[in-house]
């Protein structure tokens, strides 16, 4: 599903958000979170602190939130997932829907290495990153239930699938970060999902 065309004002908003986000990540990676202020980020990005606060409530959010249209991106993932042909399994359909956004990690390696380092080094950023995705959980579970014909309250599968695939995403990103982004994040995600779909066989074929 192609991304809808954006007007000039909307494109400018997204570009300013990206400039502030990437600047925040770079400065925090260089100096540490406690040594960076909103004024530092604003000056480096060429805007005023007042403009900064039009986009972010805090420097922590500037580090964690990579895109101004985060909610819209989440909705597009759900729409792609629901539009995938039924012949494709729900786990694979969901991962395929994630791929466009996941490719952003590979395409912006230094930014994401810096962001993940900042989150790893600062528990407050980790908590903010988790909280940022909170509002997407219920709609995604509803979408999985709709695609599979299940009741999201009576059946475990929709919630379990989201939790399991979320774990695969986190594992792939963690492995990518530990290897300094020298491996493809997209390929790691595919590998993680294939292992899940195969039932997580032990290396060497040992049976339990």
């Amino acid at each position: 599903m192609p991304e809808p065309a954006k007007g000039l004002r909307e494109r400018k908003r997204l570009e300013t958000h990206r400039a502030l986000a990437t600047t925040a990540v770079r400065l925090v990676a260089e100096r540490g979170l406690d040594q960076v202020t909103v004024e530092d980020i604003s000056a480096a990005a060429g805007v005023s602190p007042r403009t900064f606060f039009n986009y972010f409530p805090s420097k922590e959010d500037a580090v964690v939130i990579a895109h101004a249209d985060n909610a819209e991106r989440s909705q597009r993932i759900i729409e792609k997932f629901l539009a995938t042909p039924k012949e494709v399994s729900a786990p694979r359909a969901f991962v395929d829907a994630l791929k466009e956004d996941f490719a952003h990690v590979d395409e912006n390696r230094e930014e994401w290495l810096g962001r993940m380092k900042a989150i790893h080094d600062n528990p407050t950023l980790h908590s903010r990153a988790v909280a940022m995705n909170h509002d997407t959980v219920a709609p995604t579970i509803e979408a999985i239930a709709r695609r599979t014909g299940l009741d999201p309250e009576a059946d475990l599968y929709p919630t379990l699938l989201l939790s399991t695939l979320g774990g695969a995403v986190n594992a792939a990103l963690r492995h990518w970060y530990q290897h300094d982004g020298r491996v493809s994040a997209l390929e790691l995600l595919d590998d993680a999902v294939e292992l899940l779909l195969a039932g997580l066989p032990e290396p060497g074929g040992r049976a339990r």
Side-chain angles (χ1 to χ4, degrees):
M1 184 177 297
E3 185 175 337
K6 296 179 174 67
L8 180 60
R9 179 176 296 181
E10 176 66 3
R11 291 200 302 272
K12 177 64 176 175
R13 181 180 76 89
L14 298 178
E15 288 168 3
T16 302
H17 185 287
R18 287 289 296 142
L20 286 166
T22 55
T23 299
V25 168
R26 176 174 59 80
L27 292 180
V28 169
E30 292 173 356
R31 307 178 191 174
L33 182 65
D34 292 340
Q35 304 305 316
V36 175
T37 66
V38 166
E39 289 73 19
D40 293 334
I41 298 168
S42 303
V47 302
S48 68
R50 180 177 179 179
T51 296
F52 176 95
F53 285 116
N54 287 336
Y55 289 86
F56 300 101
S58 68
K59 66 180 181 182
E60 289 80 6
D61 280 1
V63 174
V64 170
I65 305 175
H67 299 280
D69 58 344
N70 188 61
E72 291 86 348
R73 285 170 175 265
S74 297
Q75 182 58 38
R76 287 200 297 272
I77 288 171
I78 289 174
E79 290 171 358
K80 289 177 186 177
F81 169 67
L82 291 174
T84 303
K86 295 291 186 179
E87 298 78 41
V88 180
S89 70
R92 175 51 62 189
F94 189 80
V95 170
D96 287 348
L98 285 175
K99 282 188 172 180
E100 182 178 342
D101 274 20
F102 219 77
H104 188 267
V105 175
D106 284 325
E107 294 164 1
N108 298 272
R109 174 177 172 268
E110 292 302 323
E111 175 192 347
W112 279 93
L113 285 173
R115 177 171 290 113
M116 292 184 69
K117 181 180 186 303
I119 292 172
H120 179 270
D121 292 346
N122 298 276
T124 56
L125 293 182
H126 182 269
S127 299
R128 182 65 190 97
V130 172
M132 182 183 71
N133 292 319
H134 174 75
D135 290 343
T136 68
V137 172
T140 306
I141 291 173
E142 290 283 349
I144 294 171
R146 176 178 167 189
R147 192 179 195 279
T148 55
L150 298 172
D151 183 336
E153 295 184 4
D155 295 292
L156 179 63
Y157 183 84
T159 302
L160 181 60
L161 179 60
L162 178 59
S163 298
T164 303
L165 292 179
V169 167
N170 290 334
L173 286 174
R174 180 180 177 85
H175 197 75
W176 179 85
Y177 173 66
Q178 289 174 332
H179 287 77
D180 201 32
R182 293 189 298 270
V183 290
S184 166
L186 267 176
E187 289 180 8
L188 287 172
L189 178 61
D190 268 333
D191 290 346
V193 173
E194 287 303 321
L195 284 170
L196 286 177
L197 295 179
L200 281 181
E202 279 195 60
R206 290 176 295 173
R208 295 187 62 180

